[in-house]
Amino acid sequence: MSTASLTLSNPITINQSLSIVDGIYNGSTGATTTSTNPLTYTLISGPSAGGKVTFSSSNDTNYVLGNFSYLPNQSILASGSETFKVLVAEKTQFDKIVEGIPLLGGLAGQVILVLHQTPILGGLLAPIIGYSQVVTFAPNPSADNPLGNPLAFTYKMPSFDGTLISLNWFPASTVGANGVPAGDVAPTILNGPGLATAGQTDPYTPYGISGLTPGVQSLRNDGYNVVTWDPRGEFNSGGILQLDSPAFEGRDVTAMINWIATQPTSDLNGPNDPKVGMVGGSYGGGIQLTSAGTDSRIDAIVPGIAWNSLNQALYPSGAFKTSYSTLLLLDLVLSNARINNQIYLGVISGLLTGFLSNTAQAVLASSGPDFVVGNISAPTLFLQGTIDVLFTLQQAIQNAEALKPGVPAQMIWSCTGHGVCLTPDTTGTRNLDATLNWLDKYVKGKVVPAAPNFQYTDQFGNWFSSNDLPTAGSAFFGSNFTAASGASGGTLGIVPIVGGSGPAPQASIPYSLGLASKASNAINVKLNLTGLDQTVGAPTLTFDYQGLGTSRFVYAQLVDNNTGLVVGNLVTPVPVTLDGRTHSVTFNMENIVYTSDDPVTPGDLTLQITSSATAYENFTAFGVINISNIGLTLQTPATVTPEP
């Protein structure tokens, strides 16, 4: 049913449809227009019983502008219906102009949207703001699905403390490459979202995080039921966000697993023990480690760009990551998340003073997952990013080191993560393929092609592999390579921002603030790479120094002179004490991958020790330091195999 604007010359024609295909409600307004103005589509009245409507995304495999998928609320599956309305409207040149006005544009768009829905006035203004039609949909799942085949739906599940967690259930595909017959049981994958991101409701996107984690479609086509959810304190879920705490979000996942065990198409290992795996990146990666460390029913996990310790990730050696911490907090504020107040106070304190209070550190520490990783029995595939400036490679290494002996584990380092890949990215479907194989092996119990335990990429996009993980003391590492020894340094003035590392000009604000760039106010040491094939791991920096001031850090990075880029976009805060006395430092920099023996572009690196970094900007840091006797050793792989 549709209602037209009050005009006889409305050029928009509606031919709406809503039908179930492979367990998913698919809808379309079928709108066409005889004018040259493009059409826009807006959900102006959400499903009345609590369902969810998701418009088709350009990343969808079946993308059509204005089409949508619909998840009915679980309460109307057996009987009943709900209604929702979509506004189809023209976007005129006038609309584009007023919406493009700085500051006022967003408000203007909202006013135009209201005018379209205002009787008489909307019709009178249609020649200026565009014509429109409101299309009403009234799905009735029991009537639309008379055979009772498995159907995707949304549901608010009571968690351990009564908090309602909004989850979305997608049955395994019946037509995918590894689909299952309608009504047959299938294993289930929990697909967790990133921070300030709702659980995925689009069933037609192959990825969750592009190039890294699988989307609902990829998992359904591989023969899995899929559960996505809004984490505690976010979007449609209740409660207070506690940063993937085992005591809260971890127990929410346990409640979801209990619920999954009751679903008629869930394949079970035993009573109240469904065959279940987990995927997801960032916040959706951290929850996997938290959950698998507290619930042994989870059969396999694939944490992407996750952390081991939030204190070490956000406050390494006492240096606060101001840029990314601010971005994360803004994301939470803009998404109207309800979060632990101590998180707000901690970020504000870090921004103003560079310090985190003991209370703030305790909140971060309570989130883990470092203290529960040792309990994990689920086979674990770590996906981490060589250019991740928030959760660096060391976080995945520490998680791998904490696993119990005998727990199957593999690791892939690709040019992805919290940051921007500024070098060739040849990852393709490597992460997706590895994830599905991992789940198939350990959740389904299938035989899959063998894979090396460690795969990684370098600055050229070349791939390498080893059967050893890059953990401390492993057979992966060969002899250390000395790239500098006893190098003279100099005197460095320390002031905030001026001449320091970052923002990276190749990336856009605000993300560039977290990325390192070549510094102009720096002590530079040209490294001798003669005889070095490749370095993988954490460079060890040594130097002597003497200085005065309030600053507690200098910042070290490696600049690739061939490109002008900082390797991995990573800068490391190095603690110093500027009390006028002479001190010595030995400190591990962030893990990197760098190939030096390329015949076309041989390695050429400069070590920079600089005064400040926008990634860790502290406006109270001033001083002067004299640095001397600089040394740098690089870790090298013992034996690796080039990958195609």
Side-chain angles (χ1 to χ4, degrees), residues 4 29 132 139 146 160 177 296 351 378 389 447 460 496 643:
T29 62
S132 64
F160 70 96
S296 61
L351 289 174
V389 298
V447 175
F460 300 111
E643 290 277 306

Side-chain angles (χ1 to χ4, degrees), residues 132-154:
S132 64
Q133 293 218 41
V134 174
V135 187
T136 300
F137 293 87
N140 184 326
S142 60
D144 298 337
N145 186 31
L147 297 179
N149 289 328
L151 182 65
F153 62 89
T154 187

Side-chain angles (χ1 to χ4, degrees), residues 213-483:
T213 62
V216 171
Q217 183 185 57
S218 296
L219 294 166
R220 292 188 68 227
N221 285 348
D222 201 39
Y224 293 100
N225 303 317
V226 183
V227 171
T228 66
W229 73 99
D230 297 350
R232 174 179 290 255
E234 298 191 80
F235 299 95
N236 290 306
S237 287
I240 303 297
L241 181 147
Q242 302 288 351
L243 292 177
D244 280 350
S245 166
F248 293 94
E249 285 87 353
R251 294 171 75 183
D252 293 337
V253 171
T254 287
M256 282 188 271
I257 295 173
N258 293 340
W259 178 83
I260 290 169
T262 68
Q263 300 309 297
T265 57
S266 290
D267 197 2
L268 305 179
N269 294 310
N272 197 35
D273 183 8
K275 292 184 178 180
V276 64
M278 295 187 74
V279 299
S282 191
Y283 200 59
I287 190 59
Q288 296 178 57
L289 296 161
T290 293
S291 302
T294 54
D295 195 322
S296 61
R297 293 176 296 175
I298 298 171
D299 297 303
I301 59 174
V302 188
I305 53 175
W307 66 91
N308 172 262
S309 162
L310 283 178
N311 273 314
Q312 292 179 17
L314 299 176
Y315 198 47
S317 303
F320 186 61
K321 282 186 180 173
T322 51
S323 59
Y324 255 94
S325 295
T326 303
L327 286 174
L328 293 175
L329 184 64
L330 286 175
D331 283 344
L332 289 171
V333 170
L334 293 174
S335 65
N336 295 314
R338 302 164 302 283
I339 71 176
N340 185 326
N341 285 334
Q342 291 299 326
I343 299 172
Y344 283 117
L345 296 175
V347 172
I348 293 171
S349 170
L351 289 174
L352 295 178
T353 69
F355 289 95
L356 285 185
S357 68
N358 290 336
T359 300
Q361 291 183 60
V363 170
L364 295 181
S366 69
S367 296
D370 52 348
F371 57 87
V372 298
V373 172
N375 299 329
I376 292 175
S377 58
T380 304
L381 170 61
F382 296 100
L383 305 178
Q384 211 73 12
T386 57
I387 51 86
D388 197 316
V389 298
L390 178 62
F391 301 141
T392 60
L393 296 171
Q394 186 62 27
Q395 295 296 305
I397 292 170
Q398 289 175 195
N399 279 325
E401 290 172 343
L403 289 176
K404 292 183 295 188
V407 174
Q410 291 184 357
M411 188 177 294
I412 300 176
W413 292 356
S414 56
C415 195
T416 189
H418 304 86
V420 180
C421 183
L422 301 176
T423 56
D425 182 6
T426 57
T427 304
T429 62
R430 185 181 298 264
N431 286 324
L432 177 61
D433 295 342
T435 296
L436 296 178
N437 281 340
W438 193 260
L439 297 174
D440 287 351
K441 180 176 182 178
Y442 292 108
V443 179
K444 288 183 180 178
K446 290 179 59 177
V447 175
V448 300
N453 289 330
F454 180 38
Q455 301 174 64
Y456 63 93
T457 186
D458 68 2
Q459 76 271 24
F460 300 111
N462 297 323
W463 282 85
F464 304 86
S465 67
S466 170
N467 284 324
D468 297 298
L469 294 179
T471 50
S474 89
F476 172 79
F477 293 107
S479 301
N480 286 344
F481 181 90
T482 300

